[in-house]
Amino acid sequence: MSEHYVCFIPADPKFVPSKGSQDAAVALIQRAWLHISEITPETNEHIVFRDCGENFESIHCPSCNTELRVDQWHELMEQDYSDEGGFQLDQLPMPCCEEKLTLNDLSYKWPMGFSRFVLRAGDPGCEDSEKLLNELESAIGCQLRIIHQMY
Ligand SMILES: [Zn+2]
């Protein structure tokens, strides 16, 4: 039996909502997804990569639309990461077109991203609700990216 999660991360990777905002966001999910028991807000000291697990399909450069090979992407990931500081999300020249972008700018299919804060919930098995997303964004005070994780 595979495990499915829905993660909400701030569009701004450094952004960490206040404790009060986090509690308000958890309450909104509890109200919208009644049967989901597991809702966990998490804050990391540094910026962490949030993957989509088995939902991974491809990575494209948003500038020239070339598909990046996984080894090219790994190289960029290594370049940007340090054990002491996590991911820096520096502007890196893309191997395809030399355009300078951060790892968080790439087009990930399915969506993935980088953040210090994540709100992870069990997958409710329904479509993402625009209304819930809007409510969460105003509770947290930042636009959010939704990541569907499957393991
Ligand atoms: Zn490119």
Side-chain angles (χ1 to χ4, degrees):
M1 176 88 189
S2 59
E3 294 183 69
H4 296 229
Y5 299 96
V6 180
C7 293
F8 298 91
I9 64 169
D12 172 0
K14 293 197 180 86
F15 184 83
V16 177
S18 68
K19 180 74 174 64
S21 300
Q22 295 185 21
D23 292 345
V26 169
L28 283 168
I29 297 179
Q30 275 166 341
R31 202 176 331 138
W33 298 344
L34 293 174
H35 57 290
I36 297 297
S37 51
E38 194 191 336
I39 305 168
T40 328
E42 249 179 56
T43 302
N44 290 85
E45 190 188 349
H46 300 298
I47 294 171
V48 172
F49 174 54
R50 314 290 177 187
D51 68 87
C52 62
E54 291 172 23
N55 283 332
F56 175 80
E57 287 176 21
S58 62
I59 304 164
H60 283 79
C61 168
S63 180
C64 71
N65 213 26
T66 301
E67 181 169 351
L68 296 185
R69 297 193 317 266
V70 172
D71 65 296
Q72 290 176 319
W73 176 64
H74 280 165
E75 206 166 295
L76 294 169
M77 291 283 276
E78 264 170 45
Q79 231 176 305
D80 196 64
Y81 181 83
S82 73
D83 286 336
E84 308 79 52
F87 286 98
Q88 298 305 305
L89 301 181
D90 287 333
Q91 305 257 329
L92 304 171
M94 292 297 112
C96 38
C97 61
E98 300 287 309
E99 183 77 17
K100 289 197 169 163
L101 299 168
T102 76
L103 285 166
N104 204 41
D105 295 330
L106 300 180
S107 305
Y108 295 101
K109 198 174 168 199
W110 291 19
M112 303 196 274
F114 295 78
S115 67
R116 286 189 59 201
F117 175 76
V118 61
L119 186 56
R120 182 181 286 109
D123 193 318
C126 59
E127 296 277 305
D128 298 325
S129 140
E130 186 101 2
K131 180 168 168 280
L132 176 61
L133 182 63
N134 289 338
E135 288 173 344
L136 287 173
E137 287 179 339
S138 49
I140 287 190
C142 185
Q143 287 209 306
L144 297 171
R145 190 184 288 197
I146 301 178
I147 299 172
H148 288 268
Q149 299 182 319
M150 181 167 80
Y151 298 104

